[in-house]
Amino acid sequence: MSKKINLPWNSLGLIGVLIVLVLFFSLMSDYFFSTVTFRTLVNQIPALTVIAVGMTYVLLVAGIDLSVGSVMALSAAVVGVLIVDFNLPVVIAIVAGLFVGLSFGVASGFVSAHWKIPSFVVTLGVLEIARGGAYLVTSSETKYIGDPIAFIGSPVPGIGVSAALIMAVAVVIFAQWLLSKTVFGRYMIAIGTNEEAVRLAGINPVKWKVAVFAIAGLLAGLGGVFQLGYLQSADPNAGIGLELSAIAAVVIGGTSLSGGRGSVVNSFFGVLIIAVMQTGLAQLGVSESSKRIITGLVIIAAVLFDQYREPLAKKLNRIA
């Protein structure tokens, strides 16, 4: 008996897009295809990577989190102030920053799931609260930290990539395992596919949705720590618009906006595509406003392609 093999067409397609982008920008710019460019590129993405992981989980349960950029900024601000103004040890400050992110995630998830308020509305409010909190905590000033936090974002000797990138990749691997190999992952997919059916099966979706938003908040806090390590300073304006980049990366990776389908690994490929595109456009001298227009068009194209992705994958598997 012959057995059909379901090939990972989504991942292969994303890798193909990534290769095409690298080749295109390498031909268009004399400086793109270099070790310096690639090291700089990968050392810039840890914060966006972990935030995209959390966004993947939120979209899987048919939610959305618009607050992650602001929560990241607030978490980073808390860490920066505790180190600079209160002279607390770095480890304690980082734990406090992660707790801030976790708390905001739990609050967003509880309000949205318990009172059945659309997460779009709830997290839009949380976005403003967290951003205002970042300004208050820092007195609207950038807090320069320097060496105490630099070890997180600095390249590891002999490797060339930062400790933050290594940790971000570890988060991607663990999150993919959690999604594909555990009961929690199956519940996320089930809730995103048909929440009422999950409820009728005797499973309370509220606590699972709160857990998902809690993870997203915690990862936003971790993103703040990674950004601190990269910039060595806490900026209350940091992360503005980052939620849009995270959503773009996750949608490009094939996670459905309506819930029930997605992959953390593919979201990581989406992050790489966004990073390569932005770096390449910058090297070509494209203005920031034009880059935003192009990113918006890519998001729309990804959403349109999402409508035909699954039928196309099934057709390709039949051919294979």
Side-chain angles (χ1 to χ4, degrees):
M1 293 179 65
S2 62
K3 183 178 179 180
K4 281 283 184 180
I5 300 175
N6 290 321
L7 298 176
W9 296 109
N10 289 351
S11 298
L12 293 176
L14 292 169
I15 294 172
V17 170
L18 196 57
I19 292 173
V20 169
L21 285 175
V22 170
L23 291 175
F24 172 77
F25 287 121
S26 298
L27 292 173
M28 297 298 293
S29 171
D30 295 332
Y31 308 101
F32 183 83
F33 198 82
S34 66
T35 303
V36 173
T37 296
F38 291 140
R39 282 183 177 176
T40 302
L41 188 151
V42 297
N43 286 330
Q44 288 176 339
I45 65 171
L48 179 58
T49 296
V50 294
I51 287 175
V53 170
M55 190 67 74
T56 302
Y57 278 10
V58 171
L59 289 180
L60 274 170
V61 297
I64 196 165
D65 192 343
L66 300 179
S67 69
V68 287
S70 296
V71 171
M72 183 194 80
L74 176 57
S75 298
V78 168
V79 176
V81 167
L82 290 178
I83 293 174
V84 174
D85 295 346
F86 292 89
N87 296 314
L88 288 182
V90 173
V91 173
I92 294 177
I94 288 175
V95 170
L98 295 177
F99 179 76
V100 168
L102 177 65
S103 300
F104 271 85
V106 170
S108 296
F110 181 80
V111 172
S112 176
H114 185 74
W115 282 292
K116 295 182 173 55
I117 302 174
S119 56
F120 176 91
V121 176
V122 175
T123 57
L124 185 61
V126 173
L127 178 154
E128 294 295 333
I129 294 170
R131 183 63 62 182
Y135 288 130
L136 285 174
V137 167
T138 61
S139 299
S140 300
E141 297 176 349
T142 299
K143 296 289 184 179
Y144 178 74
I145 304 171
D147 292 340
I149 202 75
F151 71 95
I152 296 176
S154 300
V156 177
I159 301 178
V161 299
S162 64
L165 178 67
I166 296 171
M167 288 186 282
V169 172
V171 168
V172 169
I173 294 171
F174 178 75
Q176 181 63 44
W177 173 82
L178 197 67
L179 173 61
S180 59
K181 300 296 184 180
T182 68
V183 172
F184 179 53
R186 289 195 290 271
Y187 282 175
M188 278 193 288
I189 294 172
I191 290 170
T193 303
N194 192 330
E195 184 175 340
E196 184 60 26
V198 171
R199 185 179 291 105
L200 293 174
I203 301 168
N204 181 11
V206 172
K207 66 178 183 180
W208 297 105
K209 293 178 77 171
V210 172
V212 166
F213 276 89
I215 291 172
L218 179 63
L219 291 177
L222 182 60
V225 174
F226 289 166
Q227 189 194 53
L228 278 179
Y230 182 71
L231 299 178
Q232 299 180 28
S233 61
D235 182 1
N237 293 305
I240 293 177
L242 189 66
E243 59 278 347
L244 298 181
S245 296
I247 293 170
V250 173
V251 171
I252 289 171
T255 298
S256 174
L257 288 170
S258 58
R261 187 180 79 247
S263 164
V264 175
V265 171
N266 284 353
S267 293
F268 178 60
F269 287 136
V271 169
L272 291 175
I273 289 171
I274 291 289
V276 167
M277 187 173 63
Q278 291 180 343
T279 301
L281 291 173
Q283 289 195 1
L284 294 179
V286 177
S287 65
E288 184 63 30
S289 56
S290 298
K291 283 196 294 183
R292 292 178 72 90
I293 291 172
I294 293 171
T295 302
L297 291 173
V298 169
I299 295 174
I300 294 173
V303 172
L304 290 175
F305 180 67
D306 183 60
Q307 303 298 315
Y308 304 97
R309 188 193 307 264
E310 193 168 350
L312 179 61
K314 290 181 179 178
K315 188 176 296 186
L316 290 171
N317 275 319
R318 283 199 295 269
I319 295 173

